[in-house]
Amino acid sequence: MAEVDELSKPMFAGLSDVSISGDIPVEGEINVPVGTPSHDDEYSTLDEPVKDTILRDLKAVGKKFVHVMYPKKSSALLRDWDLWGPLLLCVTLALMLQGGSVDSKEDGGPQFAEVFVIIWFGSVIITLNSKLLGGTISFFQSLCVLGYCIMPLTVAMVVCRLVLLGGSGMVSFIVRLIVVTASFSWSTFASTAFLADCQPSNRKALVVYPVFLFYFVIGWMILTFSPSA
């Protein structure tokens, strides 16, 4: 019976006699916020109007274009990367290169796909090469930088199209050669300026060389372009 009485007692029956002396200080404090959350805490991009979202993205793209026109060692393109600008430049360049006289029997349609493949596949190869050499830049950050730095070559394509309206003689070729060379140098310099700090110091030449070839191929396509009759 003693064992039964012992088991029937509550498990924590003895704790009711324990009391905390008022002389023992209690450290710490508990504060319960009574104010309502502010508007900034509740605001998110999901609540903003579509117009504001579009304008904000356009401003971000425009700032990146400015950084490419005035290249310097900066993390502006790396910190807030996006692919809207590269996509816009790629489409613009592909449309302007379409309809050349390489094959006058065709309407130039496949050239659009060729430019797309060259730009994006080349960017992916350069990015993988950078990662294999120990670069700290992420995949999409590299695509962003390489894509935005096509801007000088896209401008060169516009200038070459305007020059070709006046004829395709020797003077026209010299002018186009100067414009394409300057744009090619600008694109290469801009991309290396943004990517310089993301590569090992003893392997920068191995990273710059594929970038040089990438922009050289695009520049050669622009220089050799001639509109179909």
Side-chain angles (χ1 to χ4, degrees), residues 17-27:
D17 299 332
V18 178
S19 61
I20 299 176
S21 175
D23 299 334
I24 301 176
V26 180
E27 297 181 355

Side-chain angles (χ1 to χ4, degrees), residues 59-73:
K59 288 180 181 179
V61 171
K63 289 180 180 179
K64 292 182 178 66
F65 284 149
V66 173
H67 282 293
V68 173
M69 295 304 297
Y70 300 97
K72 59 181 180 179
K73 290 186 178 181

Side-chain angles (χ1 to χ4, degrees), residues 74-128:
S74 172
S75 60
L77 291 183
L78 304 179
R79 184 175 59 253
D80 303 319
W81 62 267
D82 67 80
L83 299 180
W84 291 112
L87 179 62
L88 176 63
L89 293 172
C90 181
V91 171
T92 303
L93 187 60
L95 287 175
M96 287 189 294
L97 285 171
Q98 189 176 10
S101 60
V102 177
D103 188 359
S104 59
K105 295 181 181 180
E106 301 292 337
D107 59 356
Q111 294 182 22
F112 186 91
E114 291 171 3
V115 175
F116 241 79
V117 170
I118 290 175
I119 292 177
W120 290 105
F121 184 74
S123 300
V124 170
I125 293 299
I126 294 174
T127 302
L128 292 177

Side-chain angles (χ1 to χ4, degrees), residues 38-67:
S38 63
H39 176 72
D40 295 336
D41 296 334
E42 297 178 354
Y43 182 79
S44 66
T45 56
L46 296 177
D47 301 324
E48 68 179 1
V50 177
K51 178 182 177 181
D52 295 342
T53 303
I54 295 176
L55 290 177
R56 177 168 50 81
D57 292 340
L58 289 177
K59 288 180 181 179
V61 171
K63 289 180 180 179
K64 292 182 178 66
F65 284 149
V66 173
H67 282 293

